[in-house]
Amino acid sequence: MLQEQNLTQRSVEFSQKPRIFAEFITTEQEIRSAQKMRYEVFCEEYKVELPVNMVWNGHPIDVDELDDHCLHLVVRTQHDGEIIGYTRVLTCDLAKRFGRYYSSHEFDISNVIDRPGRFLEIGRTCIHPEHRNGATIAVLWAFLAKFMQENDYQYLFGCASVSLEDGGETLAALNPVIREKYMADDEFRVSPKVPFKLRKGLQQGKANFPPLLKAYTRMGARICGEACWDPDFNVADLFVLLDINNVANRYARHFLKDREAA
């Protein structure tokens, strides 16, 4: 498995004896275990049927061609090392070797990546269902912010998904709020390759942000255009961009330095 050359700090601990902590993993067994959780969340929990590309220890795992080119970041418990959170990290240097960013298969992202600065893409982010209490994603964000600072990355981006199981009602409710409060400036806009078209007549209820999208926007990230339809997972994907220099003030003191796990 590929290792990034500037991983000067293997893990970030948030107190003398943190209950949970984040670190990059590098061994095949650790990565397979994370891919097993990915499959359980994305396929079993959300009832998505995808081809099983690989089986590990008798369990299906979520694997694709990008995995060998990425860094794998996990949150795990201190007492037994169980993996409870995960995201896949593709740096601009690794993306250059691979030939593209993952997001580019859904969006034309040239307006973003053609800008000066160093980029970090995250994807396949998932949290174990028993640990979706805010602390796990907070530890994940804190590690990423520290890694970005130490390695001079200015931008972080990725896709945040909105389920379409309700026929698009959640997305319809979110769109006006996104346009009013969270839409990026024109110079940062991306274009979906398969735009998702909301059907007419949808009632716009309360805007309930999915957890990952909520975490992005609270940090100060911006949505860079219209949604792309992902038929495999039956979701609408939004391209989200965070400039580390624009992290919301109320979060900067927590996420731009070491933070004790909640």
Side-chain angles (χ1 to χ4, degrees):
M1 295 294 174
L2 188 65
Q3 299 184 39
E4 178 77 336
Q5 60 182 359
N6 292 325
L7 298 182
T8 55
Q9 181 156 339
R10 178 167 170 78
S11 66
V12 170
E13 296 189 354
F14 299 89
S15 70
Q16 291 300 315
K17 293 183 178 180
R19 291 188 295 274
I20 59 177
F21 65 98
E23 67 175 356
F24 286 111
I25 56 175
T26 57
T27 70
E28 181 176 5
Q29 180 159 338
E30 290 174 317
I31 293 171
R32 297 304 185 212
S33 181
Q35 291 167 333
K36 176 177 176 289
M37 187 179 75
R38 277 169 32 180
Y39 186 90
E40 290 169 348
V41 171
F42 295 125
C43 295
E44 293 180 355
E45 183 176 347
Y46 292 104
K47 298 179 175 60
V48 172
E49 294 186 10
L50 293 178
V52 177
N53 295 326
M54 188 176 294
V55 173
W56 174 73
N57 285 349
H59 300 282
I61 58 177
D62 174 44
V63 180
D64 67 19
E65 62 179 350
L66 194 55
D67 280 321
D68 286 345
H69 299 269
C70 289
L71 307 174
H72 300 270
L73 176 60
V74 299
V75 178
R76 61 201 324 167
T77 57
Q78 182 69 42
H79 70 282
D80 62 3
E82 180 189 3
I83 294 175
I84 60 172
Y86 172 86
T87 197
R88 185 168 71 178
V89 179
L90 185 65
T91 69
C92 50
D93 298 319
L94 295 176
K96 185 175 182 180
R97 291 185 223 170
F98 180 63
R100 62 177 177 87
Y101 289 97
Y102 180 79
S103 303
S104 65
H105 87 282
E106 288 193 306
F107 298 91
D108 177 355
I109 63 174
S110 55
N111 277 349
V112 173
I113 61 174
D114 287 348
R115 304 179 65 82
R118 286 168 57 77
F119 298 89
L120 199 70
E121 181 185 46
I122 65 171
R124 286 296 203 269
T125 305
C126 55
I127 306 296
H128 190 284
E130 295 179 5
H131 296 272
R132 293 172 188 166
N133 54 10
T136 308
I137 195 71
V139 169
L140 200 68
W141 279 121
F143 185 100
L144 285 168
K146 185 176 179 66
F147 180 71
M148 290 177 70
Q149 287 182 304
E150 291 179 345
N151 294 275
D152 195 30
Y153 293 105
Q154 181 178 349
Y155 298 102
L156 179 148
F157 63 83
C159 294
S161 299
V162 179
S163 174
L164 297 174
E165 286 189 0
D166 60 6
E169 290 183 4
T170 298
L171 183 63
L174 289 175
N175 276 342
V177 181
I178 289 172
R179 293 192 184 102
E180 180 182 353
K181 298 178 62 176
Y182 301 116
M183 190 65 76
D185 294 338
D186 289 345
E187 61 184 314
F188 292 99
R189 296 294 177 87
V190 302
S191 301
K193 295 184 176 179
V194 185
F196 179 75
K197 301 296 184 181
L198 288 167
R199 71 177 189 272
K200 295 181 179 180
L202 284 176
Q203 294 184 352
Q204 293 183 6
K206 182 180 178 181
N208 293 315
F209 279 67
L212 182 59
L213 184 60
K214 181 186 292 185
Y216 267 124
T217 54
R218 283 183 172 178
M219 282 285 289
R222 291 291 178 263
I223 289 89
C224 296
E226 301 302 316
C228 180
W229 181 41
D230 182 343
D232 290 333
F233 288 94
N234 192 31
V235 296
D237 285 334
L238 295 165
F239 185 90
V240 185
L241 176 70
L242 177 67
D243 183 338
I244 199 170
N245 295 318
N246 295 332
V247 172
N249 289 335
R250 65 187 182 277
Y251 288 96
R253 67 181 182 274
H254 296 301
F255 291 95
L256 299 186
K257 63 179 181 179
D258 287 356
R259 181 182 187 276
E260 183 177 353

